[in-house]
Amino acid sequence: MKNSTRIQLMTMMFLMFFSWGSWYGQMSKYLLTTLHATGDQVGNAYTTFSIACITAPFFVGLIADRFFSAQKVMGVLNILGGIILFFLSQNKDPETFFWYILAYTLCFAPNLALSNSIAMNQMNNPEKEFPSIRVTGTVAWIVVTNIIGFLALGDQVAIFQISMISSFILGIYAFFLPDTPPKADKNSSIAQIIGLDALKLFKDRSFLIFFVSSILICIPLSFYYAMANPSLTDSHMQNVENKMSFGQASEVVFMLLIPLAFTRLGVKKMLIVGLIAWVIRFLCFGYGDGISSEWILFIGIILHGVCYDFFFVTGQIYTDQKAGEKVKNAAQGLITLATYGVGMGIGSKLSGIVLDHYTVNGVHDWQAVWMVPAAIAGLVLVLFILFFSDKKEAASA
């Protein structure tokens, strides 16, 4: 790959995640503080991303991949997304906010697949070349959350205005990305697009347990994304966005440790370590305090790398190994649809209901709130230890 192409792709990833990171972790604080939303309204707002993740494969697979160049689709979607964010930033009603953020996420979610398609189309060896390009997205998330933190914009409409500007920039920039023409095969079925060809992997009990566990652990994951920022703010932690960016930094560190851990621990132990980390981090958020025991909250933040990488990234590798060449793309698509779509959708809705349940006269009982995802993660851990095995078996193909 030419260095100029590499820089183009890295810039694409940076702009995309800069736009996403500017609002995603802060949206709950904005809704609760500025729009005075209920917990249920916050949960509903976060479910929009899951709805978008469910619809995105159909859009990309049935329309974008068949008829249009990927970079042009990305350009149009991001310009349209920027326009929607302009109107969203004028809105003051938490109920109406749902429809604006739904419209925006429907435009944004296809970027995740489109950006991968554009990048990998330029690569001879994606396994070696893609990580160095994708990591600029994590860097962008760290950069934008620190900007928001230093400027104290976490509860301000500026988080969406920043995303609006970067969406317009990415929308225009996308038209200058390397051409990624539509795929020649226009005969893919809906079942193939959403990964139903991989259902035969469920004959393997351990893969089925992993699949169910992946969905269930996304419920606590949604609690983190939706509720961590306002919870840490209420605990009197200062510069919350800046400190939460250490979670993304740890994600980079543990990503680099995965090859070593894979060799030393194996799949099952790595996944178990990830699940244990989930339980510990929620206990930390429940019992830490920004004044007397901020270090406990920091542990919860730093554990993000272990939680995410050791379960989800390791899970992607495990899925590749189990699926074999014929259905590995279908298997990854099915896992993504089930986790980011179904699992996080349930978690987002549940997090809002739980927050309202433990709110009295506008005061949130965050310790009680965090015990719910901790309990769910604990149940998943027990399920996984008892029924999952990573013994070598013939790959399904």
Side-chain angles (χ1 to χ4, degrees):
M1 185 191 302
K2 296 179 182 177
N3 285 332
S4 58
T5 302
R6 185 183 303 278
I7 292 171
Q8 276 187 296
L9 298 176
M10 292 172 74
T11 303
M12 172 191 69
M13 290 292 185
F14 187 93
L15 288 170
M16 186 178 74
F17 281 88
F18 189 94
S19 183
W20 188 11
S22 66
W23 63 270
Y24 192 67
Q26 294 73 247
M27 179 169 68
S28 53
K29 182 191 285 189
Y30 170 74
L31 285 169
L32 292 169
T33 305
T34 303
L35 297 192
H36 307 291
T38 64
D40 191 46
Q41 288 171 328
V42 173
N44 289 341
Y46 276 95
T47 62
T48 62
F49 191 78
S50 296
I51 294 170
C53 284
I54 291 173
T55 61
F58 295 96
F59 174 78
V60 174
L62 293 175
I63 300 175
D65 274 353
R66 298 187 182 203
F67 304 109
F68 305 101
S69 294
Q71 79 281 1
K72 293 179 181 178
V73 176
M74 176 181 276
V76 171
L77 286 176
N78 279 279
I79 291 172
L80 181 58
I83 293 171
I84 294 169
L85 286 172
F86 170 79
F87 289 104
L88 179 149
S89 66
Q90 310 301 309
N91 173 68
K92 305 298 181 185
D93 178 18
E95 198 67 34
T96 308
F97 179 90
F98 171 84
W99 298 106
Y100 284 113
I101 198 65
L102 174 61
Y104 171 69
T105 53
L106 287 171
C107 290
F108 179 82
N111 280 310
L112 300 176
L114 291 169
S115 61
N116 289 347
S117 178
I118 293 168
M120 292 186 183
N121 194 56
Q122 303 300 314
M123 298 176 185
N124 294 319
N125 191 340
E127 290 184 5
K128 291 184 177 180
E129 295 176 286
F130 185 73
S132 64
I133 289 171
R134 169 57 182 83
V135 77
T136 57
T138 303
V139 171
W141 196 293
I142 294 171
V143 170
V144 72
T145 51
N146 272 283
I147 291 172
I148 289 168
F150 282 124
L151 298 178
L153 300 175
D155 58 357
Q156 302 297 312
V157 73
I159 61 176
F160 297 106
Q161 293 169 337
I162 291 171
S163 183
M164 176 188 70
I165 294 170
S166 55
S167 292
F168 281 132
I169 294 173
L170 177 57
I172 296 170
Y173 179 78
F175 288 99
F176 298 94
L177 288 168
D179 185 41
T180 307
K183 296 176 181 177
D185 183 12
K186 295 183 172 66
N187 299 314
S188 296
S189 67
I190 291 176
Q192 290 172 322
I193 289 168
I194 63 176
L196 295 186
D197 288 353
L199 288 179
K200 61 183 179 181
L201 293 174
F202 291 167
K203 295 177 182 177
D204 182 331
R205 188 189 74 173
S206 288
F207 185 83
L208 178 60
I209 293 298
F210 164 73
F211 183 81
V212 173
S213 298
S214 296
I215 295 174
L216 293 178
I217 203 63
C218 278
I219 297 174
L221 174 64
S222 297
F223 273 77
Y224 170 72
Y225 284 132
M227 300 301 168
N229 193 310
S231 171
L232 295 174
T233 300
D234 284 355
S235 76
H236 306 292
M237 176 181 271
Q238 301 298 311
N239 303 111
V240 170
E241 289 79 17
N242 303 95
K243 292 171 181 175
M244 284 188 69
S245 71
F246 282 94
Q248 276 67 47
S250 74
E251 189 179 322
V252 175
V253 172
F254 284 100
M255 184 81 73
L256 298 175
L257 291 176
I258 282 179
L260 176 62
F262 223 92
T263 302
R264 297 287 181 88
L265 299 177
V267 173
K268 183 172 184 176
K269 289 181 181 178
M270 285 186 70
L271 294 171
I272 288 174
V273 168
L275 290 170
I276 292 172
W278 280 108
V279 177
I280 294 173
R281 83 178 316 198
F282 292 129
L283 293 175
C284 288
F285 286 148
Y287 289 96
D289 183 87
I291 298 175
S292 60
S293 54
E294 190 175 66
W295 63 273
I296 296 178
L297 298 177
F298 256 113
I299 291 175
I301 292 171
I302 295 297
L303 280 173
H304 182 69
V306 186
C307 293
Y308 191 84
D309 293 339
F310 274 41
F311 194 89
F312 290 101
V313 178
T314 301
Q316 290 168 356
I317 297 171
Y318 169 72
T319 299
D320 253 23
Q321 291 178 343
K322 297 298 290 186
E325 284 298 321
K326 290 184 181 179
V327 296
K328 72 175 184 179
N329 289 335
Q332 294 290 359
L334 184 62
I335 287 285
T336 300
L337 185 71
T339 53
Y340 286 95
V342 178
M344 287 192 67
I346 294 170
S348 296
K349 181 65 177 178
L350 181 62
S351 68
I353 294 172
V354 169
L355 180 62
D356 279 343
H357 181 74
Y358 290 113
T359 299
V360 179
N361 297 324
V363 178
H364 310 302
D365 184 352
W366 287 112
Q367 185 176 105
V369 169
W370 288 118
M371 292 308 102
V372 175
I376 295 171
L379 288 173
V380 177
L381 174 62
V382 172
L383 170 73
F384 200 80
I385 291 174
L386 291 178
F387 298 107
F388 180 86
S389 172
D390 59 348
K391 291 179 181 179
K392 301 294 183 183
E393 300 174 17
S396 301

